[in-house]
Structures are given as structure tokens and as C-alpha cells.
């Protein structure tokens, strides 16, 4: 089992993913700018797990990253570049998963931000030349992740990246959430389509008052 650091682990999506990974037997370190806040969130999560699965700890972001083989970025897009740059040395040699969604909200609803022909995941890869970045977990609702269902059977996790081995690692992690491996969605550049698609799901969920997810049919194992 891997040790997974979740940068942004005190936020709803980060905490939800951390909980799912820990329930799947992985050791998890929640990262935050505030180490004390991360430790408190880790204690709450450990109490919720009740001794099941892997261990849960909390630390300041840089310290959390150094403890892990795999690092998940679950942070708001605002401030993303500066945070990733500050952690570049600590992230060297690690698999970095980006589930960052660059979204905007206005009176017409959610929408994907125009990043000028790139994506948050690709930007992270450019800032982390000594790491391998994989895009995944963009479309999983924080509400569902923090819910009581053992597995999110109605969801598929789409995984994009340029390193086959790193993608396989992340696809395996997806099984701790959905009960089946993630789906190889292609190269990292396809994060340009995956990230803003989250805005579509948010809009659907708001309109129909549901917690819809993304499921791919016709793929073996899905």
C-alpha cells in the first residue's frame, strides 16, 4: 500500500478522497498551510474510521509531502501555481495527482476558466519537471465522497497522463472509491477537457437536485 499525501486535505474534496483512500488500506497524511488544522482534521477522520483501514495523520504541506510516495493536489485553482512551485523540491520523484478544477461562477452558473490552451494538470507538470503528474478524480462530488456509501458504484474515475506506470498506480487507487479500476482516458493534455466538464456536472446536479456522476459504458471492467 502507498502512503498518500493530500495537499488541501482539510477541504471537502480533499478530506473525502483521503477518507476513501484510508478506508482502502492506504496510510494518508492530510496537508494544509496550517499544520495544527491538518492535525485536527486527521484526528476527526481517524475517529470516523474507527480503526479501520490505514493510518491518518496531519502536517503542514511540505512535511506531509515528504512522507508520501503519491501526492494528491486537491486545492482551489486560485493560488495553485504559487503553492505547487513552493513544493517542487519536496515533490521531486513522486507521482502527483491533480484533481484541480479551474472553475468560475457567475449569475449564469458554473463554467470552466479559459487557461489559454492548457490545464491545471499540465501547468503543474510544467512547474514540476522532476515529478510525474496524472490528472484524475476531477468529477467526484465532495458530498458523495464524504457520504456513507461503501463504494461509489455509479461513478467512473477518468485518468489522464503521459506516464503509463503512473497512470496504472492512479487507476488502482480509483478502485478504493468505485470498486473498479479507473479508466485510462489518454494523454495529460486531455485534462483540458476533463477539468471544465466538472462545471457541467455541477449544473446538472443543481438543476435536477441530484448527485449525478460520470459513468463510462462499454469498457471492459466498467
Amino acid at each position: 500500500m502507498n502512503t498518500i499525501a493530500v495537499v488541501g486535505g482539510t477541504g471537502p474534496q480533499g478530506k473525502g478522497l483521503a477518507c476513501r483512500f484510508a478506508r482502502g488500506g492506504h496510510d494518508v497524511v492530510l496537508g494544509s498551510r496550517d499544520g495544527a488544522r491538518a492535525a485536527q482534521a486527521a484526528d476527526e477522520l481517524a475517529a470516523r474510521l474507527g480503526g479501520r483501514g490505514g493510518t491518518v495523520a496531519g502536517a503542514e504541506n511540505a512535511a506531509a509531502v515528504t512522507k508520501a510516495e503519491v501526492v494528491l493536489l486537491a486545492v482551489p485553482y486560485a493560488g495553485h501555481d504559487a503553492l505547487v512551485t513552493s513544493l517542487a523540491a519536496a515533490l521531486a520523484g513522486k507521482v502527483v495527482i491533480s484533481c484541480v478544477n479551474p472553475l468560475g461562477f457567475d449569475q449564469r452558473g458554473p463554467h470552466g476558466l479559459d487557461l489559454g490552451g492548457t490545464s491545471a494538470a499540465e501547468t503543474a507538470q510544467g512547474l514540476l519537471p522532476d515529478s510525474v503528474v496524472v490528472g484524475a478524480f476531477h468529477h467526484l462530488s465532495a458530498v458523495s465522497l464524504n457520504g456513507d456509501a461503501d463504494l461509489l458504484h455509479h461513478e467512473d474515475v477518468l485518468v489522464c497522463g503521459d506516464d503509463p506506470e503512473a497512470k496504472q498506480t492512479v487507476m488502482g487507487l480509483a478502485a478504493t472509491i468505485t470498486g473498479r479500476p479507473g479508466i485510462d482516458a489518454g494523454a495529460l493534455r486531455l485534462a483540458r477537457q476533463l477539468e471544465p466538464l466538472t462545471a457541467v456536472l455541477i449544473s446538472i446536479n443543481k438543476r435536477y437536485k441530484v448527485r449525478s456522476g460520470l459513468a463510462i459504458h462499454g469498457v471492459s471492467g466498467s
Side-chain angles (χ1 to χ4, degrees):
M1 294 292 182
N2 293 302
T3 297
I4 304 169
V6 181
V7 177
T10 59
Q13 189 177 31
K15 190 183 293 185
L17 285 164
C19 182
R20 298 284 170 171
F21 294 149
R23 284 172 61 178
H26 298 282
D27 294 331
V28 176
V29 186
L30 303 183
S32 173
R33 286 190 173 91
D34 184 338
R37 183 182 178 194
Q40 179 180 354
D43 288 344
E44 294 170 357
L45 186 52
R48 178 181 175 186
L49 291 168
R52 295 175 297 159
T55 64
V56 183
E60 186 272 331
N61 281 325
V65 166
T66 61
K67 300 175 187 293
E69 295 84 41
V70 177
V71 178
L72 175 74
L73 300 177
V75 297
Y77 183 65
H80 168 271
D81 294 5
L83 176 61
V84 171
T85 299
S86 72
L87 296 174
L91 290 169
K94 301 180 188 293
V95 174
V96 178
I97 308 169
S98 173
C99 68
V100 177
N101 291 312
L103 302 181
F105 297 86
D106 57 25
Q107 292 182 341
R108 298 172 64 187
H111 60 95
L113 298 179
D114 183 357
L115 302 188
T118 189
S119 62
E122 290 171 282
T123 299
Q125 183 65 87
L127 296 170
L128 300 172
D130 298 319
S131 307
V132 178
V133 176
V134 177
F137 305 113
H138 300 97
H139 309 126
L140 300 182
S141 153
V143 174
S144 296
L145 288 168
N146 286 289
D148 295 328
D150 287 338
L151 294 168
L152 305 185
H153 292 293
H154 68 294
E155 306 261 12
D156 278 311
V157 175
L158 302 186
V159 181
C160 63
D162 296 330
D163 184 289
E165 185 176 348
K167 279 202 287 189
Q168 286 297 323
T169 295
V170 178
M171 289 163 66
L173 287 176
T176 65
I177 298 174
T178 65
R180 55 190 178 276
I183 292 177
D184 188 337
L188 189 64
R189 66 183 181 181
L190 292 180
R192 302 174 198 178
Q193 282 71 50
L194 295 182
E195 292 171 1
L197 183 59
T198 303
V200 177
L201 290 174
I202 293 172
S203 182
I204 291 170
N205 289 343
K206 183 177 180 181
R207 179 173 296 276
Y208 291 96
K209 296 180 174 57
V210 295
R211 296 177 187 169
S212 66
L214 190 65
I216 305 297
H217 295 279
V219 177
S220 177
S222 67

